[in-house]
Amino acid sequence: MTEMDRNRTQTSEGETEPPVQTRKPVRRGGGDPGTRGRTTIADGVVEKIAGLAARDVVGVHAMGSGLSRTFGAVRDRVPGGSKSVTRGVKAEVGEVQTALDLEIVVDYGVSIADVARAVRENVIAAVERMTGLEVVEVNIAVSDVKLPEEEEEEPEPRIQ
């Protein structure tokens, strides 16, 4: 008996019918639907994630240089303005990798090396988890130390 004969069905009158053809499901587009297309992530998205992650580290007092913090404080006072979480953060984003530059102000009395290490670990973990990008480097510049007796930098109002 040949393969073709085995696939034929027999009717009640003894006649044989041609084999039944079963169709395989057609997969259109090929591959997993999650891999169809391209996802791009803007520099600003990575900067926000990194800024929030860096601020979560104990010992980080603020982000950015004195000048950028002053402008930020003015911007924060404007009605409808929002706090800039990207202050002190610069990201360069490629297709699969990103590099970050952070400028931080640390609290007096903390170990700068320990704070920098903790910031790197927290930023890398957050960015890689949320974006899937590989963080190739996190450069940290400590621009100031916040002394306990220093007041917060609040610009004087121009109008009294």
Side-chain angles (χ1 to χ4, degrees):
M1 186 179 261
T2 67
E3 182 71 31
M4 189 66 122
D5 290 338
R6 269 190 248 124
N7 289 336
R8 292 181 184 268
T9 56
Q10 203 158 5
T11 62
S12 57
E13 292 89 34
E15 299 174 5
T16 59
E17 293 181 349
V20 178
Q21 298 280 333
T22 58
R23 285 190 147 173
K24 291 183 180 178
V26 177
R27 246 187 141 157
R28 303 199 191 289
D32 178 34
T35 61
R36 297 181 200 169
R38 189 174 59 162
T39 303
T40 56
I41 300 172
D43 292 1
V45 172
V46 174
E47 289 169 356
K48 282 184 179 182
I49 295 167
L52 290 171
R55 282 176 176 79
D56 283 346
V57 174
V58 174
V60 174
H61 178 74
M63 301 286 295
S65 66
L67 185 61
S68 71
R69 290 194 324 270
T70 302
F71 284 133
V74 171
R75 186 177 36 241
D76 294 346
R77 289 177 166 222
V78 174
S82 61
K83 260 192 158 168
S84 176
V85 295
T86 61
R87 185 181 313 138
V89 182
K90 179 69 180 132
E92 292 180 36
V93 180
E95 288 185 29
V96 295
Q97 294 179 325
T98 186
L100 294 151
D101 294 321
L102 305 176
E103 189 170 2
I104 66 173
V105 176
V106 298
D107 292 321
Y108 177 79
V110 300
S111 166
I112 293 174
D114 291 345
V115 170
R117 186 179 309 105
V119 167
R120 274 191 189 90
E121 290 172 356
N122 210 31
V123 166
I124 290 169
V127 170
E128 288 185 346
R129 179 178 51 82
M130 292 182 70
T131 66
L133 295 169
E134 177 191 3
V135 178
V136 293
E137 66 181 6
V138 177
N139 299 311
I140 298 174
V142 179
S143 62
D144 202 358
V145 173
K146 169 68 170 79
L147 300 176
E149 65 273 359
E150 285 181 340
E151 292 182 22
E152 286 297 315
E153 293 178 11
E154 297 255 345
E156 296 280 328
R158 295 179 68 189
I159 302 173
Q160 301 204 11

